[in-house]
Amino acid sequence: MNKRNRNLLLAGALGLAGGLVATRLMTRSRGAPGTREGELPTAGVLDTLALAVDVLAPTFAKGVIIRRPAVVALAERLELDRRAIGRMQKLRNKYGSGPLMLPLPIRKQAVILTPEHARRVLDESPEPFSAASSEKRAALSHFEPHGSLISQCPERTARRRFNEDVLEHERAVHHMVDKFLPVVDDEAGRLLAKARTQGELDWDTFNTGWTRMVRRVVFGDAAAGDQTISDMIIELRKAANWAFMHPKKTGLRSRFLARIQGYLDRAEPGSLAAVAASVPQSADTMANHQVPQWLFAFDAAGMATFRALALLAAHPEQAARARAELHSHPGIERQYLPFLRSTVLESLRLWPTTPAILRQSTRATQWEGGTMPEGTGILLFTPFFHRDDQRMDCADRFAPELWLKDDKVRDVQDRDWPLVPFSSGPVMCPARNLVLMLTSVMLGALIGEDDGIHGLTPSQQGRLDPARLPGTLDNYSLRFVVLADGDVGTTKSFD
């Protein structure tokens, strides 16, 4: 069975599982939806089935831990994410603010429908809304069983602090910027040289260069060619897609974590491994179990960067603004590129790499509409909040201005409508600023003029309509043409 058919089979299996759950719901339900006094609203059977079909099944079929390219391509063709957003809008319009309980036979589950509730859940994590939900523990334990995200206190405190200290979550620019930027430039040069040879820049070429860059930043130059460690986490993440339904590959996981530990022990100067060696650790830290999440996050960042490149190619005026920013920030000044960072953030808003933010209540909580029981799973479907065209004028267009406001304005904006590409609150991704630094510099290297390779244009006619961008963008099939030197200045548009 080839890879494409296997992916489609996986998607079909997930859809079948969703159908079986729905059947159980219909046979066990007591009938019409209702809300008893003091209880949160509960979705009816048909609405729960519709949510499973339109939102849950496509999200998990695409792959939550690692994407299945064939299913992502299908999702773009069928506009499945746009359909999912429409379903969420219907639920909010029918049931009100929620949170909306689902009458599942196997667990207590709630769906968040309003920005106020989304903000509360994120701000009050990890207590009483734990990030270590049952589903997340089942999935991430395949490759980071003692990772911060799925840990409970007191271990979580030590592990979170380690991540924050190494990744410098509060700094817009990591102190190792003078070491990291040359690595980005070097790998960008390598992948563009290959693209010139091929006549185009495709995902495989970009991703090869991106993952080399990530390995060098995380572990040092000694890991540049270590494709084995990248293959290991890919294999483990494929199993993690199935969470508790797939046996853990404990032998592979042990070898993977041991390989990470080897790089941490080496602590090559100029790498995050060296930073890790310099920060305080305790017996609870288990540093080699924290690093897999960095690799995981950087993989999503590569997807966002490639999609951001497509956004600039489809918006020539914005691309010109990005190049002007590069010209005014030469050399090491590229460490902070506000417009290019906002472009990456827009890529993540339009096409979230974390479509499902999961939490689980550690105790009963009170809401305007009633009580949410202890142990309730909570779903924030980020595409709904990022692209709700009933509430956002810019839902389907490229709007980098959303991210170019001062902190006070941004805070008010977030309270009014949550845009959470890196989550938010105490459990916000600690790599946020480091990711934005590296992605913006890489994006700048791909569009810069100085070496005559800035003319990158997607080869798919009309794939991105600036007036109504697609609900899903398949990064795996994007192709960018590398223009010859004589073509520099050619209008950047879809061929």
Side-chain angles (χ1 to χ4, degrees):
M1 182 183 295
N2 62 35
K3 182 177 180 180
R4 181 177 184 275
N5 289 337
R6 184 168 61 253
N7 284 334
L8 291 175
L9 178 60
L10 293 175
L14 286 172
L16 177 60
L20 291 174
V21 170
T23 299
R24 292 181 66 186
L25 286 173
M26 296 187 73
T27 57
R28 293 188 180 196
S29 174
R30 292 175 292 182
T35 304
R36 295 192 180 116
E37 186 176 353
E39 291 185 356
L40 294 172
T42 299
V45 170
L46 293 181
D47 286 326
T48 302
L49 176 59
L51 177 71
V53 171
D54 291 343
V55 179
L56 302 181
T59 298
F60 291 101
K62 282 185 295 181
V64 174
I65 303 301
I66 190 168
R67 298 293 186 269
R68 301 180 177 105
V71 184
V72 174
L74 182 66
E76 180 178 342
R77 288 197 299 273
L78 299 180
E79 288 273 37
L80 295 184
D81 284 302
R82 195 180 300 282
R83 179 171 177 167
I85 294 165
R87 177 58 56 192
M88 293 293 295
Q89 290 171 331
K90 290 177 181 178
L91 291 174
R92 178 191 59 210
N93 296 341
K94 179 175 181 178
Y95 292 97
S97 62
L100 181 63
M101 300 296 295
L102 303 181
L104 300 181
I106 53 178
R107 67 166 297 165
K108 298 182 288 289
Q109 180 66 48
V111 178
I112 299 299
L113 299 177
T114 66
E116 297 82 9
H117 292 167
R119 182 57 55 195
R120 176 185 174 185
V121 168
L122 296 174
D123 284 350
E124 296 180 20
S125 297
E127 286 292 336
F129 305 114
S130 174
S133 67
S134 300
E135 301 89 347
K136 194 180 297 182
R137 292 198 305 272
L140 297 186
S141 61
H142 279 268
F143 57 93
E144 50 177 87
H146 300 291
S148 170
L149 268 178
I150 55 174
S151 298
Q152 304 286 3
C153 290
E155 291 85 359
R156 180 190 180 278
T157 301
R159 293 164 187 171
R160 175 75 186 188
R161 185 184 304 115
F162 171 80
N163 282 280
E164 291 178 347
D165 289 348
V166 176
L167 302 173
E168 298 183 2
H169 74 118
E170 292 185 340
R171 296 184 55 159
V173 176
H174 199 281
H175 85 277
M176 298 285 283
V177 60
D178 62 327
K179 305 295 183 183
F180 293 163
L181 260 60
V183 172
V184 178
D185 290 339
D186 184 46
E187 293 302 336
R190 286 172 178 266
L191 70 87
L192 285 169
K194 184 175 181 181
R196 288 194 202 96
T197 302
Q198 298 173 164
E200 68 175 16
L201 176 62
D202 59 14
W203 168 255
D204 288 341
T205 301
F206 170 80
N207 192 47
T208 297
W210 176 262
T211 53
R212 274 180 57 92
M213 182 272 291
V214 169
R215 290 193 298 266
R216 292 174 67 182
V217 165
V218 175
F219 301 123
D221 290 345
D226 190 359
Q227 186 60 41
T228 297
I229 199 167
S230 297
D231 291 341
M232 282 178 163
I233 192 171
I234 288 172
E235 192 66 25
L236 291 167
R237 287 170 60 199
K238 286 179 179 179
N241 261 348
W242 293 97
F244 54 82
M245 293 185 288
H246 194 291
K248 292 180 173 60
K249 299 184 177 183
T250 54
L252 176 61
R253 184 180 66 191
S254 295
R255 294 192 298 275
F256 170 63
L257 294 172
R259 202 175 189 93
I260 289 175
Q261 189 61 54
Y263 284 117
L264 293 177
D265 292 342
R266 181 188 180 104
E268 183 176 321
S271 70
L272 289 177
V275 180
S278 69
V279 303
Q281 298 184 36
S282 69
D284 290 331
T285 302
M286 302 194 73
N288 64 333
H289 284 250
Q290 313 315 312
V291 175
Q293 188 66 28
W294 307 351
L295 303 177
F296 182 15
F298 277 124
D299 181 64
M303 296 169 63
T305 304
F306 210 54
R307 289 167 173 163
L309 182 61
L311 282 172
L312 292 177
H315 297 81
E317 291 184 5
Q318 305 283 27
R321 181 175 177 180
R323 293 191 185 93
E325 180 175 70
L326 288 169
H327 289 162
S328 65
H329 293 73
I332 194 65
E333 293 182 30
R334 292 173 300 151
Q335 62 187 277
Y336 191 78
L337 299 165
F339 184 76
L340 282 167
R341 288 189 181 211
S342 73
T343 300
V344 175
L345 285 164
E346 265 298 89
S347 168
L348 288 164
R349 178 186 71 85
L350 291 162
W351 305 292
T353 54
T354 305
I357 297 179
L358 304 178
R359 296 290 186 266
Q360 191 163 320
S361 60
T362 59
R363 57 175 170 79
T365 55
Q366 299 301 314
W367 304 76
E368 304 95 308
T371 302
M372 180 185 293
E374 178 183 351
T376 299
I378 302 170
L379 168 66
L380 280 75
F381 186 60
T382 51
F384 168 54
F385 291 103
H386 287 190
R387 299 191 66 173
D388 182 1
D389 58 6
Q390 294 180 359
R391 304 292 179 91
M392 297 177 65
D393 293 336
C394 63
D396 294 325
R397 66 173 176 84
F398 179 36
E401 66 272 10
L402 289 172
W403 309 98
L404 292 171
K405 302 171 182 177
D406 64 45
D407 291 342
K408 290 183 179 178
V409 174
R410 282 281 301 123
D411 185 62
V412 172
Q413 174 181 287
D414 282 353
R415 299 272 164 192
D416 290 341
W417 199 255
L419 302 176
V420 288
F422 290 91
S423 189
S424 187
V427 189
M428 176 187 286
C429 174
R432 181 185 190 275
N433 285 320
L434 177 58
V435 164
L436 289 175
M437 184 184 81
L438 296 174
T439 54
S440 60
V441 173
M442 174 62 83
L443 188 58
L446 296 178
I447 66 168
E449 288 184 316
D450 293 341
D451 50 9
I453 47 78
H454 74 294
L456 297 169
T457 61
S459 60
Q460 295 87 356
Q461 179 71 34
R463 180 121 174 240
L464 274 75
D465 177 3
R468 192 171 187 265
L469 293 167
T472 309
L473 183 61
D474 173 20
N475 56 287
Y476 302 103
S477 62
L478 284 172
R479 298 287 187 276
F480 298 88
V481 177
V482 183
L483 301 182
D485 289 347
D487 293 327
V488 170
T490 299
T491 300
K492 286 142 207 68
S493 60
F494 285 97
D495 294 328

